PDB file of all heavy atoms in Angstrom:
ATOM      1  N   ARG A   1      75.742 100.486  84.264  1.00 59.00           N
ATOM      2  CA  ARG A   1      74.544  99.695  83.983  1.00 59.00           C
ATOM      3  C   ARG A   1      73.753  99.439  85.279  1.00 59.00           C
ATOM      4  O   ARG A   1      72.530  99.393  85.291  1.00 59.00           O
ATOM      5  CB  ARG A   1      74.942  98.409  83.333  1.00 59.00           C
ATOM      6  CG  ARG A   1      73.748  97.520  82.979  1.00 59.00           C
ATOM      7  CD  ARG A   1      74.252  96.236  82.330  1.00 59.00           C
ATOM      8  NE  ARG A   1      73.167  95.375  81.936  1.00 59.00           N
ATOM      9  CZ  ARG A   1      73.297  94.106  81.522  1.00 59.00           C
ATOM     10  NH1 ARG A   1      74.511  93.646  81.360  1.00 59.00           N
ATOM     11  NH2 ARG A   1      72.255  93.413  81.194  1.00 59.00           N
ATOM     12  N   PHE A   2      74.455  99.288  86.382  1.00 66.00           N
ATOM     13  CA  PHE A   2      73.807  99.039  87.642  1.00 66.00           C
ATOM     14  C   PHE A   2      74.058 100.263  88.538  1.00 66.00           C
ATOM     15  O   PHE A   2      75.072 100.298  89.223  1.00 66.00           O
ATOM     16  CB  PHE A   2      74.347  97.818  88.355  1.00 66.00           C
ATOM     17  CG  PHE A   2      74.432  96.604  87.369  1.00 66.00           C
ATOM     18  CD1 PHE A   2      75.669  96.030  87.131  1.00 66.00           C
ATOM     19  CD2 PHE A   2      73.298  96.171  86.778  1.00 66.00           C
ATOM     20  CE1 PHE A   2      75.715  94.970  86.286  1.00 66.00           C
ATOM     21  CE2 PHE A   2      73.392  95.090  85.888  1.00 66.00           C
ATOM     22  CZ  PHE A   2      74.590  94.474  85.635  1.00 66.00           C
ATOM     23  N   PRO A   3      73.181 101.233  88.526  1.00 76.00           N
ATOM     24  CA  PRO A   3      73.475 102.465  89.231  1.00 76.00           C
ATOM     25  C   PRO A   3      73.477 102.274  90.757  1.00 76.00           C
ATOM     26  O   PRO A   3      72.648 101.569  91.317  1.00 76.00           O
ATOM     27  CB  PRO A   3      72.335 103.422  88.819  1.00 76.00           C
ATOM     28  CG  PRO A   3      71.250 102.525  88.401  1.00 76.00           C
ATOM     29  CD  PRO A   3      71.902 101.295  87.824  1.00 76.00           C
ATOM     30  N   PHE A   4      74.494 102.857  91.407  1.00 82.00           N
ATOM     31  CA  PHE A   4      74.596 102.738  92.866  1.00 82.00           C
ATOM     32  C   PHE A   4      75.276 103.931  93.422  1.00 82.00           C
ATOM     33  O   PHE A   4      75.809 104.772  92.663  1.00 82.00           O
ATOM     34  CB  PHE A   4      75.407 101.470  93.275  1.00 82.00           C
ATOM     35  CG  PHE A   4      76.766 101.383  92.671  1.00 82.00           C
ATOM     36  CD1 PHE A   4      77.814 102.036  93.226  1.00 82.00           C
ATOM     37  CD2 PHE A   4      76.977 100.589  91.551  1.00 82.00           C
ATOM     38  CE1 PHE A   4      79.101 101.956  92.697  1.00 82.00           C
ATOM     39  CE2 PHE A   4      78.289 100.446  91.003  1.00 82.00           C
ATOM     40  CZ  PHE A   4      79.322 101.138  91.589  1.00 82.00           C
ATOM     41  N   ARG A   5      75.227 104.069  94.720  1.00 83.00           N
ATOM     42  CA  ARG A   5      75.979 105.176  95.403  1.00 83.00           C
ATOM     43  C   ARG A   5      76.826 104.549  96.497  1.00 83.00           C
ATOM     44  O   ARG A   5      76.524 103.473  96.988  1.00 83.00           O
ATOM     45  CB  ARG A   5      75.003 106.184  95.939  1.00 83.00           C
ATOM     46  CG  ARG A   5      74.095 105.684  97.014  1.00 83.00           C
ATOM     47  CD  ARG A   5      73.335 106.871  97.619  1.00 83.00           C
ATOM     48  NE  ARG A   5      72.383 106.438  98.592  1.00 83.00           N
ATOM     49  CZ  ARG A   5      71.897 107.260  99.557  1.00 83.00           C
ATOM     50  NH1 ARG A   5      72.271 108.512  99.597  1.00 83.00           N
ATOM     51  NH2 ARG A   5      70.973 106.773 100.381  1.00 83.00           N
ATOM     52  N   VAL A   6      77.863 105.257  96.877  1.00 88.00           N
ATOM     53  CA  VAL A   6      78.765 104.798  97.941  1.00 88.00           C
ATOM     54  C   VAL A   6      78.217 105.277  99.255  1.00 88.00           C
ATOM     55  O   VAL A   6      77.999 106.463  99.461  1.00 88.00           O
ATOM     56  CB  VAL A   6      80.175 105.295  97.727  1.00 88.00           C
ATOM     57  CG1 VAL A   6      81.094 104.830  98.843  1.00 88.00           C
ATOM     58  CG2 VAL A   6      80.734 104.789  96.404  1.00 88.00           C
ATOM     59  N   LEU A   7      78.001 104.359 100.196  1.00 91.00           N
ATOM     60  CA  LEU A   7      77.565 104.711 101.485  1.00 91.00           C
ATOM     61  C   LEU A   7      78.685 105.085 102.462  1.00 91.00           C
ATOM     62  O   LEU A   7      78.577 105.920 103.335  1.00 91.00           O
ATOM     63  CB  LEU A   7      76.707 103.596 102.156  1.00 91.00           C
ATOM     64  CG  LEU A   7      75.377 103.268 101.505  1.00 91.00           C
ATOM     65  CD1 LEU A   7      74.673 102.187 102.250  1.00 91.00           C
ATOM     66  CD2 LEU A   7      74.490 104.482 101.424  1.00 91.00           C
ATOM     67  N   GLY A   8      79.857 104.422 102.241  1.00 91.00           N
ATOM     68  CA  GLY A   8      80.984 104.715 103.127  1.00 91.00           C
ATOM     69  C   GLY A   8      81.987 103.602 103.086  1.00 91.00           C
ATOM     70  O   GLY A   8      81.868 102.620 102.396  1.00 91.00           O
ATOM     71  N   GLU A   9      83.070 103.769 103.861  1.00 92.00           N
ATOM     72  CA  GLU A   9      84.204 102.812 103.885  1.00 92.00           C
ATOM     73  C   GLU A   9      84.602 102.624 105.359  1.00 92.00           C
ATOM     74  O   GLU A   9      84.537 103.560 106.126  1.00 92.00           O
ATOM     75  CB  GLU A   9      85.407 103.269 103.045  1.00 92.00           C
ATOM     76  CG  GLU A   9      85.081 103.450 101.574  1.00 92.00           C
ATOM     77  CD  GLU A   9      86.284 104.015 100.806  1.00 92.00           C
ATOM     78  OE1 GLU A   9      87.236 104.494 101.457  1.00 92.00           O
ATOM     79  OE2 GLU A   9      86.253 103.949  99.546  1.00 92.00           O
ATOM     80  N   ILE A  10      85.061 101.421 105.634  1.00 94.00           N
ATOM     81  CA  ILE A  10      85.613 101.112 106.997  1.00 94.00           C
ATOM     82  C   ILE A  10      86.906 100.326 106.792  1.00 94.00           C
ATOM     83  O   ILE A  10      87.145  99.712 105.744  1.00 94.00           O
ATOM     84  CB  ILE A  10      84.662 100.301 107.837  1.00 94.00           C
ATOM     85  CG1 ILE A  10      84.344  98.958 107.183  1.00 94.00           C
ATOM     86  CG2 ILE A  10      83.362 101.076 108.091  1.00 94.00           C
ATOM     87  CD1 ILE A  10      83.628  97.984 108.067  1.00 94.00           C
ATOM     88  N   PRO A  11      87.800 100.321 107.761  1.00 95.00           N
ATOM     89  CA  PRO A  11      89.025  99.537 107.696  1.00 95.00           C
ATOM     90  C   PRO A  11      88.820  98.045 107.845  1.00 95.00           C
ATOM     91  O   PRO A  11      87.866  97.621 108.601  1.00 95.00           O
ATOM     92  CB  PRO A  11      89.937 100.108 108.794  1.00 95.00           C
ATOM     93  CG  PRO A  11      88.947 100.626 109.804  1.00 95.00           C
ATOM     94  CD  PRO A  11      87.753 101.126 108.996  1.00 95.00           C
ATOM     95  N   ILE A  12      89.598  97.265 107.180  1.00 96.00           N
ATOM     96  CA  ILE A  12      89.676  95.821 107.393  1.00 96.00           C
ATOM     97  C   ILE A  12      90.753  95.526 108.450  1.00 96.00           C
ATOM     98  O   ILE A  12      91.849  96.041 108.388  1.00 96.00           O
ATOM     99  CB  ILE A  12      90.010  95.065 106.103  1.00 96.00           C
ATOM    100  CG1 ILE A  12      88.863  95.285 105.031  1.00 96.00           C
ATOM    101  CG2 ILE A  12      90.220  93.604 106.336  1.00 96.00           C
ATOM    102  CD1 ILE A  12      87.607  94.541 105.364  1.00 96.00           C
ATOM    103  N   TYR A  13      90.414  94.681 109.397  1.00 95.00           N
ATOM    104  CA  TYR A  13      91.429  94.337 110.437  1.00 95.00           C
ATOM    105  C   TYR A  13      92.507  93.393 109.869  1.00 95.00           C
ATOM    106  O   TYR A  13      92.257  92.739 108.856  1.00 95.00           O
ATOM    107  CB  TYR A  13      90.693  93.723 111.633  1.00 95.00           C
ATOM    108  CG  TYR A  13      90.025  94.762 112.484  1.00 95.00           C
ATOM    109  CD1 TYR A  13      88.745  95.212 112.133  1.00 95.00           C
ATOM    110  CD2 TYR A  13      90.611  95.281 113.640  1.00 95.00           C
ATOM    111  CE1 TYR A  13      88.113  96.202 112.902  1.00 95.00           C
ATOM    112  CE2 TYR A  13      90.007  96.209 114.385  1.00 95.00           C
ATOM    113  CZ  TYR A  13      88.711  96.697 114.038  1.00 95.00           C
ATOM    114  OH  TYR A  13      88.099  97.653 114.788  1.00 95.00           O
ATOM    115  N   PRO A  14      93.665  93.343 110.558  1.00 94.00           N
ATOM    116  CA  PRO A  14      94.758  92.552 109.970  1.00 94.00           C
ATOM    117  C   PRO A  14      94.415  91.041 109.755  1.00 94.00           C
ATOM    118  O   PRO A  14      94.950  90.474 108.810  1.00 94.00           O
ATOM    119  CB  PRO A  14      95.832  92.651 111.068  1.00 94.00           C
ATOM    120  CG  PRO A  14      95.575  93.978 111.721  1.00 94.00           C
ATOM    121  CD  PRO A  14      94.089  94.114 111.717  1.00 94.00           C
ATOM    122  N   ASP A  15      93.477  90.518 110.533  1.00 93.00           N
ATOM    123  CA  ASP A  15      93.089  89.118 110.348  1.00 93.00           C
ATOM    124  C   ASP A  15      92.035  88.974 109.248  1.00 93.00           C
ATOM    125  O   ASP A  15      91.538  87.851 109.015  1.00 93.00           O
ATOM    126  CB  ASP A  15      92.608  88.482 111.608  1.00 93.00           C
ATOM    127  CG  ASP A  15      91.285  89.079 112.144  1.00 93.00           C
ATOM    128  OD1 ASP A  15      90.914  90.218 111.621  1.00 93.00           O
ATOM    129  OD2 ASP A  15      90.660  88.517 113.052  1.00 93.00           O
ATOM    130  N   GLY A  16      91.663  90.055 108.575  1.00 93.00           N
ATOM    131  CA  GLY A  16      90.697  90.043 107.533  1.00 93.00           C
ATOM    132  C   GLY A  16      89.255  90.204 107.982  1.00 93.00           C
ATOM    133  O   GLY A  16      88.310  90.135 107.177  1.00 93.00           O
ATOM    134  N   SER A  17      89.002  90.468 109.275  1.00 95.00           N
ATOM    135  CA  SER A  17      87.645  90.574 109.793  1.00 95.00           C
ATOM    136  C   SER A  17      87.136  91.998 109.723  1.00 95.00           C
ATOM    137  O   SER A  17      87.904  92.957 109.598  1.00 95.00           O
ATOM    138  CB  SER A  17      87.570  90.066 111.223  1.00 95.00           C
ATOM    139  OG  SER A  17      88.387  90.915 112.113  1.00 95.00           O
ATOM    140  N   PHE A  18      85.822  92.137 109.809  1.00 96.00           N
ATOM    141  CA  PHE A  18      85.184  93.452 109.903  1.00 96.00           C
ATOM    142  C   PHE A  18      83.831  93.283 110.542  1.00 96.00           C
ATOM    143  O   PHE A  18      83.211  92.187 110.527  1.00 96.00           O
ATOM    144  CB  PHE A  18      85.074  94.177 108.606  1.00 96.00           C
ATOM    145  CG  PHE A  18      84.160  93.551 107.607  1.00 96.00           C
ATOM    146  CD1 PHE A  18      82.785  93.753 107.661  1.00 96.00           C
ATOM    147  CD2 PHE A  18      84.639  92.718 106.573  1.00 96.00           C
ATOM    148  CE1 PHE A  18      81.897  93.150 106.712  1.00 96.00           C
ATOM    149  CE2 PHE A  18      83.789  92.146 105.647  1.00 96.00           C
ATOM    150  CZ  PHE A  18      82.457  92.357 105.729  1.00 96.00           C
ATOM    151  N   GLN A  19      83.291  94.322 111.133  1.00 95.00           N
ATOM    152  CA  GLN A  19      81.866  94.411 111.471  1.00 95.00           C
ATOM    153  C   GLN A  19      81.442  95.856 111.349  1.00 95.00           C
ATOM    154  O   GLN A  19      82.179  96.759 111.619  1.00 95.00           O
ATOM    155  CB  GLN A  19      81.610  93.844 112.857  1.00 95.00           C
ATOM    156  CG  GLN A  19      82.170  94.656 114.023  1.00 95.00           C
ATOM    157  CD  GLN A  19      81.579  94.273 115.343  1.00 95.00           C
ATOM    158  OE1 GLN A  19      80.436  93.665 115.418  1.00 95.00           O
ATOM    159  NE2 GLN A  19      82.199  94.555 116.457  1.00 95.00           N
ATOM    160  N   VAL A  20      80.176  96.049 110.911  1.00 95.00           N
ATOM    161  CA  VAL A  20      79.675  97.384 110.625  1.00 95.00           C
ATOM    162  C   VAL A  20      78.189  97.387 110.655  1.00 95.00           C
ATOM    163  O   VAL A  20      77.522  96.386 110.293  1.00 95.00           O
ATOM    164  CB  VAL A  20      80.216  97.815 109.247  1.00 95.00           C
ATOM    165  CG1 VAL A  20      79.743  96.858 108.142  1.00 95.00           C
ATOM    166  CG2 VAL A  20      79.798  99.231 108.930  1.00 95.00           C
ATOM    167  N   GLU A  21      77.630  98.499 111.125  1.00 96.00           N
ATOM    168  CA  GLU A  21      76.188  98.663 111.018  1.00 96.00           C
ATOM    169  C   GLU A  21      75.843  99.352 109.738  1.00 96.00           C
ATOM    170  O   GLU A  21      76.478 100.399 109.362  1.00 96.00           O
ATOM    171  CB  GLU A  21      75.692  99.550 112.232  1.00 96.00           C
ATOM    172  CG  GLU A  21      75.768  98.809 113.549  1.00 96.00           C
ATOM    173  CD  GLU A  21      75.076  99.598 114.690  1.00 96.00           C
ATOM    174  OE1 GLU A  21      74.532 100.660 114.402  1.00 96.00           O
ATOM    175  OE2 GLU A  21      75.140  99.181 115.834  1.00 96.00           O
ATOM    176  N   VAL A  22      74.893  98.797 109.004  1.00 95.00           N
ATOM    177  CA  VAL A  22      74.496  99.252 107.685  1.00 95.00           C
ATOM    178  C   VAL A  22      72.993  99.466 107.629  1.00 95.00           C
ATOM    179  O   VAL A  22      72.258  98.932 108.450  1.00 95.00           O
ATOM    180  CB  VAL A  22      74.903  98.307 106.594  1.00 95.00           C
ATOM    181  CG1 VAL A  22      76.430  98.196 106.529  1.00 95.00           C
ATOM    182  CG2 VAL A  22      74.272  96.915 106.830  1.00 95.00           C
ATOM    183  N   PRO A  23      72.479 100.327 106.676  1.00 95.00           N
ATOM    184  CA  PRO A  23      71.026 100.571 106.578  1.00 95.00           C
ATOM    185  C   PRO A  23      70.318  99.274 106.305  1.00 95.00           C
ATOM    186  O   PRO A  23      70.793  98.415 105.553  1.00 95.00           O
ATOM    187  CB  PRO A  23      70.933 101.533 105.428  1.00 95.00           C
ATOM    188  CG  PRO A  23      72.284 102.168 105.325  1.00 95.00           C
ATOM    189  CD  PRO A  23      73.258 101.139 105.752  1.00 95.00           C
ATOM    190  N   SER A  24      69.165  99.113 106.892  1.00 95.00           N
ATOM    191  CA  SER A  24      68.368  97.898 106.710  1.00 95.00           C
ATOM    192  C   SER A  24      67.391  98.091 105.507  1.00 95.00           C
ATOM    193  O   SER A  24      67.049  99.207 105.130  1.00 95.00           O
ATOM    194  CB  SER A  24      67.533  97.545 107.939  1.00 95.00           C
ATOM    195  OG  SER A  24      66.646  98.650 108.276  1.00 95.00           O
ATOM    196  N   ASP A  25      66.991  96.954 104.949  1.00 95.00           N
ATOM    197  CA  ASP A  25      66.001  96.900 103.897  1.00 95.00           C
ATOM    198  C   ASP A  25      66.350  97.768 102.639  1.00 95.00           C
ATOM    199  O   ASP A  25      65.502  98.417 102.040  1.00 95.00           O
ATOM    200  CB  ASP A  25      64.629  97.304 104.406  1.00 95.00           C
ATOM    201  CG  ASP A  25      64.082  96.236 105.331  1.00 95.00           C
ATOM    202  OD1 ASP A  25      64.144  95.040 104.984  1.00 95.00           O
ATOM    203  OD2 ASP A  25      63.627  96.556 106.407  1.00 95.00           O
ATOM    204  N   VAL A  26      67.675  97.797 102.255  1.00 94.00           N
ATOM    205  CA  VAL A  26      68.059  98.381 100.999  1.00 94.00           C
ATOM    206  C   VAL A  26      69.056  97.442 100.330  1.00 94.00           C
ATOM    207  O   VAL A  26      69.771  96.712 101.058  1.00 94.00           O
ATOM    208  CB  VAL A  26      68.722  99.783 101.209  1.00 94.00           C
ATOM    209  CG1 VAL A  26      67.725 100.784 101.795  1.00 94.00           C
ATOM    210  CG2 VAL A  26      69.955  99.681 102.088  1.00 94.00           C
ATOM    211  N   PRO A  27      69.104  97.385  99.032  1.00 94.00           N
ATOM    212  CA  PRO A  27      70.062  96.472  98.392  1.00 94.00           C
ATOM    213  C   PRO A  27      71.464  96.996  98.489  1.00 94.00           C
ATOM    214  O   PRO A  27      71.798  98.176  98.205  1.00 94.00           O
ATOM    215  CB  PRO A  27      69.605  96.515  96.872  1.00 94.00           C
ATOM    216  CG  PRO A  27      68.784  97.747  96.717  1.00 94.00           C
ATOM    217  CD  PRO A  27      68.209  98.052  98.053  1.00 94.00           C
ATOM    218  N   LEU A  28      72.352  96.137  99.001  1.00 94.00           N
ATOM    219  CA  LEU A  28      73.751  96.513  99.302  1.00 94.00           C
ATOM    220  C   LEU A  28      74.708  95.600  98.586  1.00 94.00           C
ATOM    221  O   LEU A  28      74.382  94.485  98.199  1.00 94.00           O
ATOM    222  CB  LEU A  28      74.064  96.400 100.817  1.00 94.00           C
ATOM    223  CG  LEU A  28      73.148  97.190 101.756  1.00 94.00           C
ATOM    224  CD1 LEU A  28      73.443  96.824 103.202  1.00 94.00           C
ATOM    225  CD2 LEU A  28      73.413  98.691 101.574  1.00 94.00           C
ATOM    226  N   ALA A  29      75.931  96.072  98.375  1.00 92.00           N
ATOM    227  CA  ALA A  29      77.060  95.326  97.840  1.00 92.00           C
ATOM    228  C   ALA A  29      78.304  95.824  98.541  1.00 92.00           C
ATOM    229  O   ALA A  29      78.385  96.891  99.031  1.00 92.00           O
ATOM    230  CB  ALA A  29      77.158  95.399  96.336  1.00 92.00           C
ATOM    231  N   LEU A  30      79.309  94.994  98.553  1.00 94.00           N
ATOM    232  CA  LEU A  30      80.578  95.258  99.195  1.00 94.00           C
ATOM    233  C   LEU A  30      81.736  95.201  98.181  1.00 94.00           C
ATOM    234  O   LEU A  30      81.749  94.338  97.328  1.00 94.00           O
ATOM    235  CB  LEU A  30      80.865  94.261 100.327  1.00 94.00           C
ATOM    236  CG  LEU A  30      79.761  94.076 101.351  1.00 94.00           C
ATOM    237  CD1 LEU A  30      80.131  93.044 102.387  1.00 94.00           C
ATOM    238  CD2 LEU A  30      79.448  95.427 102.069  1.00 94.00           C
ATOM    239  N   GLN A  31      82.719  96.099  98.376  1.00 94.00           N
ATOM    240  CA  GLN A  31      83.968  96.059  97.593  1.00 94.00           C
ATOM    241  C   GLN A  31      85.126  95.985  98.539  1.00 94.00           C
ATOM    242  O   GLN A  31      85.152  96.638  99.586  1.00 94.00           O
ATOM    243  CB  GLN A  31      84.110  97.329  96.706  1.00 94.00           C
ATOM    244  CG  GLN A  31      83.123  97.420  95.588  1.00 94.00           C
ATOM    245  CD  GLN A  31      83.351  98.641  94.727  1.00 94.00           C
ATOM    246  OE1 GLN A  31      83.953  99.621  95.134  1.00 94.00           O
ATOM    247  NE2 GLN A  31      82.834  98.591  93.486  1.00 94.00           N
ATOM    248  N   LEU A  32      86.102  95.155  98.155  1.00 95.00           N
ATOM    249  CA  LEU A  32      87.359  95.036  98.904  1.00 95.00           C
ATOM    250  C   LEU A  32      88.413  95.895  98.256  1.00 95.00           C
ATOM    251  O   LEU A  32      88.675  95.731  97.052  1.00 95.00           O
ATOM    252  CB  LEU A  32      87.829  93.589  98.974  1.00 95.00           C
ATOM    253  CG  LEU A  32      86.849  92.572  99.627  1.00 95.00           C
ATOM    254  CD1 LEU A  32      87.444  91.173  99.635  1.00 95.00           C
ATOM    255  CD2 LEU A  32      86.503  93.028 101.068  1.00 95.00           C
TER     256      LEU A  32
END
């Protein structure tokens, strides 16, 4: 119902943190 595409995946660090550069000015969502 909500069409999307996968941009990519990165690892989560052991403490649960992450940082990543993502495209600007596009609608994004995150999955764990």
Side-chain angles (χ1 to χ4, degrees):
R1 183 180 179 187
F2 314 120
F4 57 81
R5 63 172 176 160
V6 178
L7 293 182
E9 297 177 348
I10 62 167
I12 295 287
Y13 283 82
D15 67 345
S17 64
F18 67 81
Q19 68 165 339
V20 59
E21 290 187 4
V22 295
S24 60
D25 290 313
V26 296
L28 302 171
L30 307 176
Q31 290 183 339
L32 299 181

